[in-house]
Amino acid sequence: MHTITPSTSHTLSTNTIATAVTAQRSYLLDTLSQLVAAPSPSGNETPACTTMEGLLQELGLTTERIPMDTDALSGHPLFSCPCSPDGNRFNLLAEINPPGNATPVGLNVLFNGHLDVVPTGPEHLWAKDPYQPYEQDGWLYGRGAGDMKGGIACVLTAIRTLQSLGLQPASRIGINTVVDEEDTGNGTLASLGVLQRARSKARYSGYDAVIIPEPFGETLMAAQIGVCWLTVTLTGRPAHVAYMNQGLNPISAGIQIMQALKQVQDEWNLPKNRHPAFAHVNNPININLGTIEGGEWKSSVPCTCTMGIRASFYPGRDAQEAIAWFSRFIEETARRLNPDLEVEIAHNGFAAPGCVYDLQHPAMQALSQSHAALHGAPPTHLACTATTDGRHFRLATDWAVTNYGPTARNIHGIDECVSIDSMLRVTQTLVHYIVTQCGVVPIASSNVT
Ligand SMILES: [Zn+2]
């Protein structure tokens, strides 16, 4: 762990950084627009990955494709059962090493971000085509603009800003963009495996700090909730609706099971039951019926009902144990409703434990200080009621990690957008962090393009 201030003679005033980043505004917007215009719902991310590859190469970086390989990951304690086939899907890793492979003078920093996005929902509800990015009143709109292509664009703009100043990092910077974050987190797990295997044989020991620019309003993430997905299929007994009492309605049963789960949610949300990291958060636990399918005919008691449920639980709890607990609860509730109800539960998707981040770590304090240097006050801390890929680094490495990214609106909703000013502010913080923590040196003349 490097905790020393980098021994570089290159310091930049906050004014210089602010001005240099602002000068890259059109690069930032163009980069983000290209990424948004490449649709990338989880499972079909390749258009965005290919666009990203081009953007990294434009910056002069060498990229490595890390293929999705479920078999290689399936034994990992942080693995989630996939929702999509591996296909030819891949992550992208680009690393910038100190010139001449010199010893890093400061922190080695990895930026991690996901390229996959959630479905748009009915496109007619959007003001414009969700994959045709546009700027309005200081916001850039489009599916994924906030979550989280905007944060990725900030990272690229930070590197580009340094290049515009004739500088390059004097420690290792990694940019890892991944697939499959919105349903499993297996993308980051694949890259992490490659990094850990490669580094164990190499001169360096990996990274010191990881920053994930997820769109949480320029906060530093102090904790995140655990999340699991359950697909529950209930089978009842169909009948003509004229003789409804002879049937057994699995959709009605599903609604009652959800009501029972909501009671669990309300109980876990009581202040006395909250994890200390979530003591001041209202409703940290959210159990959501996200999808429902079932029934065949309005005048028939239905045969089946399939519900896609997202449930959450506090840090400190094993994800598989939480999944087993919810499964048992659902089975017991169904049995109480009617012993003839058949219950099948599949566990594809998130098996994501919660975690508490170490914001006292010097590398995280330094990030707070970089934000304060540029923007006047340190960032506030967030106990997040969603999951992020940060858990993999927190739970499987000793690298300091948090989420810090721009302000967005309507993520996972309609007319998603990201604040352009906030992206510029985050980019300024990242440049300051690289300069002060990684150190920078002039670009070797042979490398100048
Ligand atoms: Zn995200």
Side-chain angles (χ1 to χ4, degrees):
M1 172 64 219
H2 309 274
T3 50
I4 48 159
T5 306
S7 55
T8 167
S9 56
H10 290 268
T11 55
L12 296 175
S13 73
T14 50
N15 269 347
T16 304
I17 291 173
T19 307
V21 168
T22 306
Q24 298 299 327
R25 188 181 191 276
S26 51
Y27 171 83
L28 171 68
L29 296 187
D30 179 58
T31 299
L32 177 53
S33 298
Q34 286 188 49
L35 288 170
V36 171
S40 51
S42 303
N44 289 293
E45 303 93 341
T46 303
C49 294
T50 310
T51 301
M52 185 70 196
E53 203 166 35
L55 290 166
L56 289 164
Q57 287 166 359
E58 258 174 49
L59 288 173
L61 309 185
T62 307
T63 58
E64 181 184 344
R65 290 185 174 194
I66 298 174
M68 284 304 284
D69 182 358
T70 294
D71 289 345
L73 296 176
S74 58
H76 197 289
L78 294 169
F79 173 74
S80 296
C81 290
C83 300
S84 318
D86 291 340
N88 294 316
R89 298 157 65 214
F90 57 90
N91 300 327
L92 283 168
L93 176 65
E95 290 188 319
I96 312 169
N97 282 299
N101 276 331
T103 305
V105 304
L107 298 181
N108 296 316
V109 177
L110 180 70
F111 296 101
N112 202 79
H114 66 87
L115 284 167
D116 59 322
V117 300
V118 298
T120 59
E123 292 195 11
H124 71 268
L125 295 179
W126 289 67
K128 296 186 184 174
D129 179 341
Y131 291 116
Q132 288 292 321
Y134 67 97
E135 187 187 335
Q136 190 176 298
D137 301 331
W139 298 77
L140 197 134
Y141 285 79
R143 171 56 86 228
D147 188 9
M148 65 168 287
K149 291 172 175 176
I152 292 171
C154 292
V155 172
L156 296 182
T157 305
I159 302 299
R160 164 98 173 190
T161 301
L162 288 175
Q163 291 178 348
S164 76
L165 295 165
L167 298 170
Q168 63 183 315
S171 305
R172 186 183 322 110
I173 302 276
I175 302 172
N176 183 48
T177 48
V178 305
V179 299
D180 226 49
E181 189 271 355
E182 294 284 5
D183 53 5
T184 65
N186 288 343
T188 287
L189 213 51
S191 289
L192 188 55
V194 166
L195 283 168
Q196 287 178 320
R197 280 193 296 280
R199 294 298 165 211
S200 66
K201 296 184 195 120
R203 177 174 168 194
Y204 303 126
S205 59
Y207 287 90
D208 302 300
V210 183
I211 299 172
I212 304 183
E214 285 272 23
F216 292 111
E218 304 175 30
T219 58
L220 288 190
M221 196 173 285
Q224 69 182 45
I225 208 80
V227 170
C228 63
W229 278 11
L230 302 141
T231 307
V232 179
T233 299
L234 305 170
T235 305
R237 191 169 52 245
H240 190 295
V241 77
Y243 317 105
M244 204 166 79
N245 288 344
Q246 294 172 10
L248 170 55
N249 189 324
I251 297 179
S252 302
I255 291 166
Q256 287 173 283
I257 288 170
M258 277 313 298
Q259 281 165 346
L261 283 168
K262 286 288 180 188
Q263 283 175 10
V264 171
Q265 168 193 287
D266 294 345
E267 198 188 321
W268 292 2
N269 277 334
L270 291 176
K272 68 178 167 80
N273 293 331
R274 287 182 206 157
H275 182 285
F278 290 85
H280 303 292
V281 179
N282 286 327
N283 306 317
I285 299 292
N286 294 282
I287 302 181
N288 183 51
L289 176 59
T291 62
I292 183 163
E293 266 174 60
E296 299 77 32
W297 190 248
K298 288 185 183 65
S299 289
S300 301
V301 172
C303 294
T304 63
C305 172
T306 300
M307 302 188 293
I309 298 169
R310 177 273 203 195
S312 54
F313 52 93
Y314 288 114
R317 200 165 173 182
D318 178 78
Q320 294 303 335
E321 181 275 321
I323 287 172
W325 188 93
F326 280 112
S327 302
R328 235 176 10 252
F329 180 87
I330 290 167
E331 282 160 1
E332 283 166 10
T333 306
R335 202 169 306 132
R336 247 195 342 271
L337 290 171
N338 192 317
D340 290 344
L341 206 55
E342 274 175 43
V343 185
E344 239 179 278
I345 303 179
H347 302 119
N348 298 75
F350 284 121
C355 63
V356 177
Y357 294 107
D358 179 10
L359 296 184
Q360 297 309 311
H361 191 288
M364 297 292 103
Q365 298 255 308
L367 181 57
S368 185
Q369 284 155 11
S370 282
H371 178 93
L374 265 302
H375 311 307
T380 56
H381 293 178
L382 173 74
C384 184
T385 52
T387 185
T388 76
D389 276 352
R391 68 185 183 277
H392 295 319
F393 300 101
R394 181 66 180 128
L395 298 172
T397 75
D398 58 2
W399 310 343
V401 55
T402 195
N403 284 268
Y404 170 79
T407 300
R409 287 197 306 223
N410 302 336
I411 58 173
H412 292 220
I414 302 295
D415 293 335
E416 174 179 353
C417 56
V418 63
S419 158
I420 296 167
D421 276 349
S422 181
M423 285 196 294
L424 290 168
R425 287 159 56 92
V426 164
T427 307
Q428 289 164 1
T429 303
L430 299 184
V431 171
H432 188 274
Y433 189 74
I434 293 170
V435 169
T436 57
Q437 302 306 309
C438 309
V440 288
V441 289
I443 294 175
S445 54
S446 60
N447 291 345
V448 174
T449 50

